[in-house]
Amino acid sequence: MFIDSHCHIDFPDLAAREDEVLANMQAQQVSHALCVSVNIEQWPRVTGMAERHANVFASLGVHPDYEDVTEPDVAQLVDMSAHPRVVAIGETGLDYFRLTGDLEWQRKRFRTHIRAARECGKPLIIHTRSSAEDTLAIMREERAHEVGGVMHCFTETLEVAEAAIDMGFCISFSGIVTFKNAQQLRDVAKAIPLASMLIETDSPYLAPVPYRGKMNEPAFVPHVAAELAKVRGMTVEEVGRVTSDNFFRLFHDAARLAGREEVAA
Ligand SMILES: [Zn+2]
Ligand SMILES: [Zn+2]
């Protein structure tokens, strides 16, 4: 069994095939998926997805790439995350690749999410791109270690991974780890503790080899696990089991909802 720790199955192209996407998961032994928000307008779609499917969990936040959208405040994030299917805050973080100029608003928004996560006791889903130094600095300043979380779709160095792991964060690998030019990332996957590893699709983006260039979906996450199995000298089943246990240990509300509290304990 495998768990897709980060997907956007509420996005129109995947939502239009909702039943098929869920059936494909089952056929490929993908037991659960975490559907992640990118803006406030979309929150009801994400929680709706998690209400309709017992094996889908929700996360609420506003993505750093969304510039001209309603800005969340701490109280609003805390209030909304009381929804019974919400297990995490995010995605949040910094992205200096997609956007440039004065990005103080991004840093402020990131701090808001960390404060909300600490207040409601839920882990953080962090996106960082060309901004690792500031991301780690803000995580430290805002005491993100109190809730932990995941560095999703990880593409940074081993040093950045280790700094995040020191703060109680997991490192999540996407289809990028299957790409030919991703040797540096495979080296990171080889070096970090198994107990800190998660797998994800970030679908509909970043389909793994052999689906590269196609629309991604949670059913493809075993291909990420297979690549990690190769890198670590494990079976794909072992990678599935370890990353699923890691998922439930980190997202303790998901463990409770799925009746897997023994993993979280
Ligand atoms: Zn992201
Ligand atoms: Zn995402």
Side-chain angles (χ1 to χ4, degrees), residues 177-235:
V177 81
T178 69
F179 296 175
K180 225 190 186 114
N181 60 2
Q183 190 53 46
Q184 190 210 324
L185 189 57
R186 283 188 284 276
D187 293 342
V188 173
K190 192 170 184 167
I192 67 166
L194 267 186
S196 303
M197 258 190 195
L198 293 179
I199 52 174
E200 68 172 81
T201 58
D202 207 9
S203 50
Y205 313 118
L206 295 170
V209 174
Y211 301 108
R212 207 170 167 183
K214 298 213 172 81
M215 195 198 305
N216 199 3
E217 60 177 86
F220 296 167
V221 83
H223 293 277
V224 177
E227 188 64 41
L228 294 178
K230 237 193 284 172
V231 166
R232 301 287 304 215
M234 299 165 65
T235 65

Side-chain angles (χ1 to χ4, degrees), residues 6-8 11 36-38 63 91 125 127 152-153 200-203 205:
H6 189 116
C7 65
H8 302 285
F11 282 15
V36 177
S37 300
V38 295
H63 194 290
E91 58 186 292
I125 296 174
H127 169 113
H152 108 89
C153 196
E200 68 172 81
T201 58
D202 207 9
S203 50
Y205 313 118

Side-chain angles (χ1 to χ4, degrees), residues 1 4 8 31 64 68 86 111 117 143 181 191 212 217 231 236 246 251:
M1 295 291 224
D4 184 354
H8 302 285
S31 61
D68 294 310
V86 173
R111 289 179 194 278
R143 305 201 301 276
N181 60 2
R212 207 170 167 183
E217 60 177 86
V231 166
V236 66
N246 293 345
F251 299 109

Side-chain angles (χ1 to χ4, degrees), residues 121-142:
K122 293 187 198 288
L124 285 153
I125 296 174
I126 295 184
H127 169 113
T128 182
R129 197 158 178 213
S130 305
S131 57
E133 204 178 312
D134 283 6
T135 300
L136 291 170
I138 290 175
M139 286 166 70
R140 280 191 201 99
E141 284 166 23
E142 298 292 337

